Amino acid sequence: MLLEGGTGRQTKRLLDRADRVSPTDRGFTRGSLSRTLLVSVPIDLNADVGESFGAWTMGQDLELLPLVSSVNVACGFHAGDPVVMDRTVARAVAAGLAIGAHPGYFDLRGFGRRALAAEPEEAEQDVLYQVGALMAFARAHGG
């Protein structure tokens, strides 16, 4: 994270935090008007994947997986299907990626983008179903 400026509360908090970091882990430069603080912050680069369905390929999952640290796998209601979920999870586990669920409305034709009438309890059950399916695939592949 690169923070430039000098007087905001966020800057002060980062500077206070930096004072607790060893001198070898921080880098300061001083200019006439600004102070720059370099802080190393881990970043999770995430992508939605597994959106292919049957014979239709969506996205560039194979090319994307080496570039991210985590993925959200489509859980079959708005995109994806059991075969695609299985293949996507297997590849993500093999690549050592963190796996999350990308649930959606039961709307394959509209790619989950259309407003659907659903009671809150029904929407919760749909999410539970989709996350459970993804968890089963992850377990099957050792994830």
Side-chain angles (χ1 to χ4, degrees), residues 22-100:
S22 73
T24 58
D25 291 339
R26 61 185 166 183
F28 289 97
T29 62
R30 294 183 188 270
S32 60
L33 298 176
S34 71
R35 179 174 173 184
T36 302
L37 170 66
L38 299 175
V39 180
S40 176
V41 177
I43 295 175
D44 174 31
L45 188 57
N46 177 273
D48 291 343
V49 296
E51 294 182 333
S52 297
F53 180 78
W56 293 274
T57 300
M58 302 287 287
Q60 302 292 321
D61 292 0
L62 285 176
E63 293 80 5
L64 193 59
L65 291 180
L67 306 175
V68 299
S69 50
S70 68
V71 292
N72 292 330
V73 180
C75 293
F77 273 27
H78 77 290
D81 61 35
V83 172
V84 172
M85 287 177 70
D86 184 53
R87 182 176 56 230
T88 303
V89 168
R91 290 172 176 163
V93 169
L97 304 177
I99 300 171

